[in-house]
Structure formats: structure tokens, C-alpha cells
Amino acid sequence: LEAQLREGSGGMSLSMAMVHTYRLYNLMAFYYVVVKRIMLVPTDAAAGEAAATATATATPPPAPSLVKVLGECRATAASVFGSQMRQHSLNLTKAPPSFLGDLSTSPVTVEHLKRLTELLQVYTDSMVSEEDTAEFNDTETGIETIMASLLEPLLQTC
């Protein structure tokens, strides 16, 4: 999965691959949450509470393999998305768009804003609640991080 995502998803541009990876991340996060609930796998907090209230010293059952695999796929997609986002921002700051004679918005800036809009749409359409995403601890996929990572280079080039 990681090799496929890093490869650029079949010849897509980096910015398109970044949106594609973020969609995949959200899909993996959704499946992870749903399967975990169906299989009644406790969250870390719930497992801690159950262990504290249990009188026996039994350990909680291990998470099913499917939940582990979905968690690993989600984490991989988050990592790849973060590196794609950093590379996209670095590319923008290394080669800032030139100003056009008529002072219209450069095509590079328009493209960058389109990708940001698409990422915001994916975030808005996500079916994973904020309390579920807090469990993931994926710092690279939070909306604040995305906005800062993509707007800061754009502001620097203007």
C-alpha cells in the first residue's frame, strides 16, 4: 500500500495524489472505526477502564487481525499524506509562481487553491467523528495542520 501511494497513484501529479491519499486515509479511518465497533474491540480508554474495574487480573483480548490491518493501513496513508503535503508545500516555496502582467492569479496558485478546496471537501464529507479521529493521534491529518501546511507556503509566495 505504501509503495503504491508513494508512487503517485498511476501517474497523477503530486497534488492530485495528495488528495487521493487523503481520501484513502479517510476511507481507511472509517472502515477501522466501523469494523472495530462491529467486532466490539474496546478503545484504549475503555480498555483501561475495564481493566481498572475488573477484579481478576485477566488481560483484555487482543484486537482482531482485521482491525490491526485496517489501523496499519490508516496509519500508512496518514504518513504518506503528510510526506506528500510537505513535498507539495516545498515545491511551491522552491519555485514560487511568477506574477502575471495583468495581475491575475497565477495558474500555480489556482491549482494549489483547488487542491486545498478538494482536501477541505474530503474533510467535510468524512464520516469519521472528531472523537474517533482523536483516538488515532495522526498529527498530519488534522484540519489545522492541513490548513497551516498548505496556506503558509502560499502566503510566502504572494
Side-chain angles (χ1 to χ4, degrees):
L1 176 67
E2 185 174 2
Q4 184 69 19
L5 289 173
R6 290 197 189 280
E7 193 175 280
S9 301
M12 284 187 218
S13 69
L14 176 62
S15 63
M16 285 298 295
M18 180 177 62
V19 174
H20 176 72
T21 303
Y22 191 60
R23 281 189 185 118
L24 183 62
Y25 164 79
N26 276 284
L27 183 64
M28 288 292 120
F30 172 73
Y31 284 137
Y32 174 82
V33 169
V34 168
V35 170
K36 190 173 178 179
R37 285 185 185 152
I38 289 171
M39 295 183 147
L40 301 175
V41 176
T43 61
D44 293 338
E49 290 173 15
T53 58
T55 56
T57 59
T59 59
S65 296
L66 180 58
V67 174
K68 286 182 181 178
V69 168
L70 288 171
E72 290 170 4
C73 288
R74 178 202 47 76
T76 299
S79 172
V80 171
F81 171 72
S83 66
Q84 287 173 336
M85 190 169 51
R86 284 188 297 279
Q87 184 62 45
H88 182 72
S89 298
L90 184 64
N91 290 350
L92 186 65
T93 54
K94 275 186 172 179
S98 58
F99 294 104
L100 303 175
D102 61 357
L103 297 180
S104 62
T105 308
S106 72
V108 173
T109 303
V110 170
E111 181 72 18
H112 192 78
L113 291 174
K114 278 183 186 176
R115 295 303 159 247
L116 180 58
T117 303
E118 289 173 357
L119 289 170
L120 289 173
Q121 188 63 48
V122 171
Y123 176 80
T124 302
D125 294 344
S126 176
M127 296 179 68
V128 180
S129 69
E130 294 214 11
E131 66 184 33
D132 289 329
T133 57
E135 172 191 341
F136 301 150
N137 197 23
D138 294 331
T139 58
E140 298 170 322
T141 58
I143 195 64
E144 297 87 8
T145 304
I146 293 170
M147 295 295 290
S149 296
L150 295 178
L151 283 179
E152 186 64 35
L154 188 62
L155 293 174
Q156 288 176 3
T157 62
C158 292

